Amino acid sequence: MVRTKKAAQAAFLLGGGKLVRVNPPSSSVFLIGMMGAGKTTVGRLLARELRYEFLDCDRELEVRSGVTVATIFELEGEDGFRRREAALLEELTQRPQIVLATGGGAVLRPENRARLRERGLVIYLQASADEIARRTSGDRTRPLLQIASPRERIAQLLAERAPLYQQTAHLTFQSSAASPLRLVRRILAHPELQRLRWAPYNH
């Protein structure tokens, strides 16, 4: 049953949500947030519900370069990786009807923040430093955490990046330890996602 925009808004407000008016220029959805916030998992589920293509920026970069993100960091440093990331974001953010999971540091460059916000609906998946540390514990694929005290590094990165995530995002959702599927349902309940879900070109 197709719901009207007013009905979608009413349902969201009755559920205790805060209605935020956004006007993204395209049909794509861009997920931002720290490593371990669940962007890839949530992105795949969200893309399935919207019938969109799912893309992971880091994985796409690995496919195109033929090496892992960790190897790019090792050979070219973080600056080299960020240049590659920016060039890829310039391309991917122009595609219609995609759900794009960005890397945790994608918001560091002003041009990336502008492209994301201007070209799609940006959703910030917010998670605490403790939750991120729990989710990334033992993960050897994340170059920035290969140090003696990864929890301290996570807290530092979060403090630096949180204002940039908030500045870039149209919408923010808490990415807790709850089921990713429940989180996707919460996201889809927002009127802006209802608009995308029931848009004529989505059927």
Side-chain angles (χ1 to χ4, degrees), residues 50-70:
L50 292 171
R51 300 185 215 176
Y52 279 13
E53 178 184 9
F54 172 74
L55 292 170
D56 181 297
C57 193
D58 283 353
R59 300 293 82 76
E60 187 72 14
L61 192 55
E62 288 181 336
V63 169
R64 296 188 182 201
S65 65
V67 296
T68 65
V69 167

Side-chain angles (χ1 to χ4, degrees), residues 58-134:
D58 283 353
R59 300 293 82 76
E60 187 72 14
L61 192 55
E62 288 181 336
V63 169
R64 296 188 182 201
S65 65
V67 296
T68 65
V69 167
T71 300
I72 297 173
F73 265 78
E74 181 181 352
L75 296 177
E76 301 181 4
E78 184 172 359
D79 286 346
F81 172 79
R82 297 300 172 201
R83 283 194 297 272
R84 288 176 177 266
E85 179 181 58
L88 185 57
L89 282 172
E90 163 62 17
E91 174 193 335
L92 296 181
T93 54
Q94 296 186 66
R95 295 191 186 182
Q97 293 182 263
I98 67 167
V99 174
L100 175 65
T102 65
V107 297
L108 294 174
R109 291 195 170 205
E111 63 269 30
N112 291 347
R113 298 196 297 273
R115 288 165 184 160
L116 289 166
R117 189 166 176 87
E118 292 169 2
R119 296 177 179 177
L121 178 65
V122 185
I123 298 176
Y124 171 26
L125 298 185
Q126 191 174 51
S128 68
D130 286 339
E131 183 65 24
I132 294 167
R134 184 187 69 79

Side-chain angles (χ1 to χ4, degrees), residues 9-186:
Q9 290 177 346
F12 184 73
L13 292 172
L14 286 172
K18 180 180 179 183
L19 185 60
V20 180
R21 182 63 187 168
V22 297
N23 293 289
S26 85
S27 60
S28 290
V29 177
F30 306 139
L31 301 180
I32 63 173
M34 284 285 289
M35 62 186 86
K39 299 185 298 292
T40 298
T41 301
V42 170
R44 289 187 189 280
L45 293 170
L46 190 58
R48 185 180 68 188
E49 292 296 322
L50 292 171
R51 300 185 215 176
Y52 279 13
E53 178 184 9
F54 172 74
L55 292 170
D56 181 297
C57 193
D58 283 353
R59 300 293 82 76
E60 187 72 14
L61 192 55
E62 288 181 336
V63 169
R64 296 188 182 201
S65 65
V67 296
T68 65
V69 167
T71 300
I72 297 173
F73 265 78
E74 181 181 352
L75 296 177
E76 301 181 4
E78 184 172 359
D79 286 346
F81 172 79
R82 297 300 172 201
R83 283 194 297 272
R84 288 176 177 266
E85 179 181 58
L88 185 57
L89 282 172
E90 163 62 17
E91 174 193 335
L92 296 181
T93 54
Q94 296 186 66
R95 295 191 186 182
Q97 293 182 263
I98 67 167
V99 174
L100 175 65
T102 65
V107 297
L108 294 174
R109 291 195 170 205
E111 63 269 30
N112 291 347
R113 298 196 297 273
R115 288 165 184 160
L116 289 166
R117 189 166 176 87
E118 292 169 2
R119 296 177 179 177
L121 178 65
V122 185
I123 298 176
Y124 171 26
L125 298 185
Q126 191 174 51
S128 68
D130 286 339
E131 183 65 24
I132 294 167
R134 184 187 69 79
R135 294 180 184 181
T136 58
S137 177
D139 188 341
R140 299 299 179 186
T141 67
R142 303 182 186 276
L144 295 178
L145 299 186
Q146 305 314 305
I147 56 175
S149 303
R151 169 62 178 76
E152 293 180 12
R153 181 59 171 153
I154 288 169
Q156 177 189 6
L157 291 172
L158 186 57
E160 294 170 353
R161 296 175 180 181
L164 302 179
Y165 293 139
Q166 293 163 358
Q167 172 189 333
T168 308
H170 294 105
L171 304 173
T172 298
F173 288 87
Q174 290 291 331
S175 175
S176 65
S179 161
L181 186 56
R182 286 200 295 270
L183 175 55
V184 169
R185 287 171 180 161
R186 284 171 48 214

